[in-house]
Amino acid sequence: MGEPMRAAVFICRSHGANLMAYRGLMKHPLVGHSEALPSCCSQAGRDQIRLHLLGGKEQALLVLGCRASELGRYQEVAASAGVSPDRVAVVPYQQRTASAAELALARALDGREPVIPREARDERLLLLGEGHSFEAAAEQAAKEGLVTIALSPDGLDAPVHLLGGPGAFTLEAGEIIYRFGAALLAFDLQVEVTRETLGEGPSVVLLVGGEECRPALVRAVEGTLAEGRKAYIVSQESPFSGSSEGVYRALQARGATFLRAAEAEVSAEGVRVHDEHLGEAVLIEAGEVVTIASHRPMALDRVLGVFGLPPSRRPLGPAPGDSGVPGVFLCGSALSGHRDGSETQAARAAAVSLARELRSPVPRTPKARVDRERCSKCLTCLRLCPYGAPSLEHGEVVVSVERCQGCGLCVAMCPAMAIEMPPSDLRAEVRATRMGGMG
Amino acid sequence: MVGGGPAGLACAAELAGRGIGCTIIERREALGGRAQELACKGSVHCRQCDVCRAHRLRDQVLASEAVTVLTGVELEQVERCSGRYRFALRRPTEAIDGGRCSRCGKCVEACPTGAMAKRGGRIRLDRGLCRSLQGLECERCVSVCPVGAIDLFGEEHLSVSGGAVVVATGAREFPPAADPRLGWGLVPGVISSMQLEAHLEGRSPIALGPKGKVAFVLCVGSRTSKAGTQMCSAVCCKYSLRQALALRERASALGITMFIMDWRGLDGEDALLRELEGSGIQVVRARPAEVVEEEGRPAVRYAGDGTVRCEAFDVVILSIGLIPALDDGTLTELGVPRDELGNLVDQGCGDRGLFLAGSCLGPRDIERCIEDGISAARDAIAYLEGGDG
Ligand SMILES: Cc1cc2nc3c(=O)[nH]c(=O)nc-3n(C[C@H](O)[C@H](O)[C@H](O)COP(=O)(O)OP(=O)(O)OC[C@H]3O[C@@H](n4cnc5c(N)ncnc54)[C@H](O)[C@@H]3O)c2cc1C
Ligand code: SF4
């Protein structure tokens, strides 16, 4: 694969402690050149950096101890000297630790994910789905000024292929080709209410679903109570959490009875329910049986498959809606834990954070790293990783920076102990917070 | 930004990411809200408890230049004139004058509570433990300090202003002592779920023994009309289940029983419920009436299978709920309306540049708090760009 890439490192001397903190880094094998500048963020400093980069020996630029907001300027300097802006990093003086610098170095030199040139990045959003989360996301994306390609799953009947990566996806659906920078999948669980009238008498509501059914349940029960009839609700768990507990109490106070059972037998005599607390089965002479059930949209699993996601995937990464696959986001009650009415809010938040990521894709910090010497290529990590981050490339195991969430599973399970996690690992973060009061 | 918990941090990070400056006013000494005290509940598997997200946000906010962080501040007054809010704040100054302190350690020896401690080569004061700051008579450190470097009551005054305010003041934990029937502080071995968090994090380990018996009592301080709140806290089922699984993973011979009313908020967490099924953790649907002492161990009295049972454990964990912070002066000053349960409600707040986020709106988990924060940031930006003030 040729010579490894190297970085040119410039350290700002206007913060005295910088030199101390970064002494070790100057000798790092991936640092081709290091230099302390009297003041890096002045015109003179930038000229000096540019002059050095024009020499062409290094492919990345790292500025240590400057202000984070200067990144844009350094990227310009780098671009004018033929270094990709994606390979420029600034470690702000507030994060003056050697490990922060080392992470930034690894990130700037990371060649494992294809780095898409800036001008080729697509800022359009593919919004795929249906339901109220879809609408909320579409509305928010419009407010963010995103160009949105809205697509219903019916539009994906033909064989579909997804190519490319974040910033430049291509979706071929039969004859049609969609190009976009990120995708948001928005699907809600579909709630279905069926009514069966048996005669006079109380109404029995069978609930086969969770909190997503709550509005329908409340409507059905209130309707029954308003008619002066009695209402029985049969469900395994009550779908009221948080502040909606009030509604639950109010319904009970008005005469609704909740029975705990996963299912009930409906026959001509009535509904037989086996409540856990009552012990034996009870028969309700029901006049009406209402079944409220929810199911996943039919097209969902196919859509997830197209994007390389397993059916059980929930949002995980640090940004709301992050699916773990770079550039693909999830929202809606069928795709998240949000079923209590907060899914539209979640959809909005996903659209907001996605818009920001789309415009300024910040590379994530690498987490798990494989020590090639120790790795016995048993591929345990490939099988175990919930996020599909490790892969085998050119006979070596590499971990995708974008996919790795730092959960530590591979570190724990690697038989060769070949995987390590740099200090940004969760526990280290937790520890750091504990010790580092704000002073 | 009032309050630096997950909701406030998410909001600040979003604002900063869009180049809008903001100031976080946090009453406590450090940012992070309750998440500071919570433990990562995964060990081999990530259980997506989201605690790390709060820490990441905190790092992001601290590294950002657009965010000013004021911790340990107390509000004195809020004013609103010509569309801008102005907060007058009071902040205690550093108790130890670093320039004068010779690090002799006499104050550390003199301190009866361990509030003065040497950390990282410097002597620091944990304000939460200091007796003098709690209004008790002490000041021993001041009297022993040979160089007069200690001033416990110094204060400075600050003023912050802004075009919009985001309220993310969070909720409070139910104080377990307020329900004496459950024996917290009275029966040995009864701890709160916050204490268990500290144990899981390794901060203050609890003697559980390898083969001990542990019980979780859920809905403490929630779903009750007595002490606490009528609401369901929405987070305790989630975190208790994760805590129990994390405990089980660390000590597989531990006997764990969970006393629950219902599982709430676990829709879509099928993976956890499946893990629970295979874990041997016993789940009992009962609301325990009492925790009493039985031969020095806590015993849970509850109704099950038609009789009253009393079962002894080594440790009983009370899964405390979140209750609204009703006596917060800042919120009164800002005039944020509340609903009948005490949660803040957004009734026309947006029109006067006031936005709400997080568990002050009602109990919710970190994930939702973060989403709230981001949405509040968007609303605030829209308001500020609307050119009002
Ligand atoms: C034992 C326990 C375990 C939990 N485990 C989990 C878990 O695993 N996963 C999860 O998602 N959730 C968990 N939770 C819930 C989680 O703690 C909350 O969802 C979350 O902390 C709420 O965040 P917040 O930003 O709304 O408020 P908070 O975290 O409460 O933060 C509010 C902040 O505002 C400050 N503040 C308040 N009033 C003022 C004022 N007037 N002026 C200045 N500052 C003020 C407070 O000091 C505080 O720092 C747990 C809760 C408990 C009790
Ligand atoms: S006043 Fe007392 S408790 Fe507080 S720091 Fe001094 S000696 Fe310790």
Side-chain angles (χ1 to χ4, degrees):
Chain A
M1 279 179 61
E3 276 280 293
M5 288 191 287
R6 283 180 212 285
V9 176
F10 290 88
I11 303 173
C12 182
R13 241 186 9 213
S14 58
H15 293 278
N18 280 342
L19 283 177
M20 288 286 290
Y22 299 132
R23 221 167 18 192
L25 192 83
M26 293 182 177
K27 301 194 195 84
H28 197 286
L30 293 177
V31 172
H33 169 87
S34 62
E35 187 174 339
L37 294 175
S39 164
C40 52
C41 39
S42 63
Q43 189 57 45
R46 282 195 297 273
D47 285 345
Q48 204 168 335
I49 294 177
R50 179 155 182 270
L51 218 56
H52 179 84
L53 289 181
L54 280 172
K57 287 208 203 73
E58 287 90 16
Q59 295 76 31
L61 167 66
L62 198 60
V63 185
L64 307 178
C66 192
R67 284 197 303 258
S69 53
E70 293 286 318
L71 178 65
R73 293 233 192 114
Y74 291 122
Q75 283 176 330
E76 279 168 27
V77 168
S80 71
V83 170
S84 156
D86 291 302
R87 302 215 177 279
V88 178
V90 172
V91 180
Y93 61 91
Q94 299 99 323
Q95 287 186 332
R96 192 189 296 122
T97 60
S99 62
E102 226 173 290
L103 286 178
L105 178 69
R107 195 165 65 189
L109 289 174
D110 184 67
R112 292 171 287 185
E113 292 282 331
V115 178
I116 301 159
R118 221 144 244 275
E119 51 290 352
R121 258 182 213 139
D122 201 325
E123 284 191 2
R124 278 173 296 181
L125 167 71
L126 178 80
L127 182 58
L128 182 58
E130 55 197 9
H132 50 270
S133 298
F134 175 83
E135 281 150 30
E139 192 187 320
Q140 190 65 42
K143 277 196 200 154
E144 298 298 314
L146 290 179
V147 178
T148 308
I149 310 166
L151 198 60
S152 110
D154 313 332
L156 293 184
D157 277 344
V160 184
H161 295 287
L162 182 76
L163 301 165
F169 281 110
T170 314
L171 186 74
E172 297 176 3
E175 301 280 283
I176 315 169
I177 293 180
Y178 302 97
R179 287 180 205 286
F180 49 92
L184 177 59
L185 314 183
F187 286 86
D188 287 309
L189 289 169
Q190 291 165 348
V191 176
E192 217 171 302
V193 182
T194 46
R195 266 169 208 278
E196 198 183 334
T197 311
L198 304 172
E200 294 289 297
S203 168
V204 176
V205 183
L206 306 178
L207 185 67
V208 198
E211 281 186 281
E212 65 281 0
C213 300
R214 192 172 72 212
L217 173 74
V218 172
R219 242 176 286 129
V221 175
E222 280 186 339
T224 307
L225 294 175
E227 286 168 20
R229 284 186 296 143
K230 211 168 152 34
Y232 292 93
I233 299 105
V234 183
S235 80
Q236 181 63 43
E237 302 294 344
S238 109
F240 299 90
S241 77
S243 312
S244 70
E245 173 85 12
V247 182
Y248 180 53
R249 288 177 163 240
L251 288 181
Q252 280 180 315
R254 286 169 58 194
T257 306
F258 285 80
L259 297 168
R260 188 189 304 287
E263 48 196 47
E265 288 161 47
V266 183
S267 64
E269 301 157 68
V271 183
R272 193 177 294 277
V273 184
H274 211 105
D275 181 286
E276 278 178 20
H277 279 304
L278 297 178
E280 52 200 64
V282 286
L283 184 75
I284 306 166
E285 288 176 12
E288 179 192 41
V289 178
V290 184
T291 310
I292 303 176
S294 71
H295 56 84
R296 281 162 72 87
M298 300 270 276
L300 183 53
D301 290 351
R302 218 170 74 80
V303 170
L304 286 173
V306 169
F307 286 88
L309 293 162
S312 59
R313 183 51 55 89
R314 301 267 167 275
L316 21 100
D322 190 343
S323 73
V325 168
V328 182
F329 292 76
L330 309 173
C331 67
S333 57
L335 285 172
S336 64
H338 291 277
R339 300 187 178 178
D340 52 354
S342 61
E343 55 266 18
T344 48
Q345 172 92 325
R348 259 183 229 118
V352 169
S353 60
L354 172 153
R356 190 140 73 81
E357 202 152 306
L358 205 50
R359 296 208 167 109
S360 58
V362 214
R364 288 210 200 121
T365 359
K367 300 230 166 65
R369 268 192 294 204
V370 183
D371 180 340
R372 300 201 172 166
E373 301 276 279
R374 305 194 92 170
C375 172
S376 62
K377 321 225 166 44
C378 67
L379 307 191
T380 304
C381 51
L382 262 73
R383 284 194 294 275
L384 281 177
C385 177
Y387 313 113
S391 62
L392 196 65
E393 273 171 33
H394 309 295
E396 297 286 351
V397 174
V398 291
V399 181
S400 153
V401 196
E402 302 265 356
R403 291 189 181 196
C404 174
Q405 303 291 328
C407 74
L409 185 61
C410 54
V411 181
M413 302 309 268
C414 176
M417 294 197 278
I419 307 182
E420 56 179 66
M421 211 166 275
S424 71
D425 116 65
L426 314 183
R427 249 157 277 246
E429 278 179 38
V430 173
R431 215 174 304 128
T433 323
R434 210 165 70 213
M435 308 207 321
M438 306 278 312
Chain B
M1 188 87 46
V2 185
L9 289 173
C11 185
E14 186 65 32
L15 288 171
R18 296 181 185 252
I20 294 186
C22 65
T23 305
I24 300 183
I25 300 171
E26 168 59 55
R27 179 188 286 161
R28 294 177 41 178
E29 291 285 295
L31 280 186
R34 185 169 308 101
Q36 290 171 67
E37 280 105 52
L38 301 183
C40 164
K41 296 177 192 64
S43 50
V44 175
H45 299 278
C46 166
R47 293 201 177 87
Q48 297 193 13
C49 69
D50 290 336
V51 172
C52 58
R53 281 171 80 175
H55 289 290
R56 277 187 215 180
L57 278 172
R58 171 183 172 277
D59 287 354
Q60 204 178 325
V61 162
L62 288 176
S64 163
E65 286 179 10
V67 187
T68 315
V69 178
L70 298 176
T71 51
V73 292
E74 212 36 71
L75 182 90
E76 284 190 327
Q77 207 190 354
V78 190
E79 281 172 357
R80 183 164 194 245
C81 67
S82 57
R84 283 183 77 78
Y85 284 91
R86 210 184 74 81
F87 288 77
L89 305 164
R90 184 172 61 220
R91 173 163 73 175
T93 47
E94 195 70 58
I96 303 159
D97 180 343
R100 266 195 266 173
C101 174
S102 62
R103 297 177 193 145
C104 67
K106 290 209 170 93
C107 51
V108 179
E109 282 163 32
C111 179
T113 62
M116 281 285 183
K118 248 194 183 148
R119 262 180 277 163
R122 276 175 60 194
I123 296 177
R124 295 238 200 148
L125 172 70
D126 182 339
R127 307 189 78 90
L129 289 178
C130 174
R131 283 159 56 84
S132 296
L133 290 176
Q134 285 161 11
L136 301 169
E137 219 167 292
C138 182
E139 297 201 34
R140 291 186 208 167
C141 48
V142 180
S143 53
V144 297
C145 183
V147 290
I150 303 176
D151 176 7
L152 292 172
F153 300 104
E155 264 181 8
E156 57 187 335
H157 293 267
L158 305 160
S159 148
V160 174
S161 67
V165 176
V166 178
V167 174
T169 49
R172 252 176 229 164
E173 293 130 40
F174 173 73
D179 194 348
R181 292 171 314 139
L182 295 175
W184 188 87
L186 305 169
V187 178
V190 179
I191 62 168
S192 78
S193 46
M194 283 307 277
Q195 287 167 290
L196 181 65
E197 290 283 334
H199 166 78
L200 288 176
E201 208 191 315
R203 244 183 310 142
S204 56
I206 300 155
L208 283 171
K211 288 210 170 98
K213 266 179 84 191
V214 177
F216 282 83
V217 176
L218 276 80
C219 299
V220 175
S222 33
R223 301 180 64 191
T224 158
S225 32
K226 301 198 189 92
T229 171
Q230 291 191 11
M231 278 181 291
C232 154
S233 281
V235 296
C236 358
C237 280
K238 288 182 164 187
Y239 77 66
S240 302
L241 179 54
R242 288 180 165 93
Q243 284 180 333
L245 292 173
L247 263 187
R248 145 86 17 174
E249 203 164 38
R250 291 176 201 198
S252 52
L254 210 60
I256 303 180
T257 308
M258 302 187 81
F259 292 97
I260 67 163
M261 285 171 66
D262 306 284
W263 283 130
R264 294 275 178 98
L266 289 177
D267 286 341
E269 308 226 45
D270 313 335
L272 281 187
L273 290 172
R274 239 178 290 127
E275 193 181 343
L276 175 74
E277 251 166 45
S279 68
I281 294 174
Q282 204 191 346
V283 179
V284 179
R285 282 200 201 258
R287 175 158 217 167
E290 250 187 328
V291 179
V292 292
E293 190 172 340
E294 210 172 73
E295 293 164 9
R297 293 163 76 200
V300 179
R301 199 198 302 281
Y302 66 98
D305 292 341
T307 56
V308 176
R309 292 160 166 256
C310 195
E311 198 176 340
F313 294 91
D314 292 309
V315 173
V316 172
I317 296 144
L318 306 181
S319 295
I320 50 180
L322 299 176
I323 55 172
L326 289 172
D327 51 356
D328 194 322
T330 313
L331 301 176
T332 324
E333 288 251 354
L334 286 168
V336 191
R338 290 178 188 271
D339 65 10
E340 67 277 14
L341 295 166
N343 298 317
L344 301 182
V345 282
D346 184 357
Q347 276 166 358
C349 288
D351 304 338
R352 51 188 174 110
L354 200 59
F355 303 91
L356 312 176
S359 56
C360 55
L361 289 163
R364 56 198 62 193
D365 59 7
I366 293 173
E367 182 180 24
R368 263 191 79 183
C369 287
I370 291 176
E371 285 157 4
D372 275 0
I374 291 176
S375 301
R378 271 321 278 164
D379 294 345
I381 293 173
Y383 170 81
L384 293 172
E385 283 171 354
D388 194 1

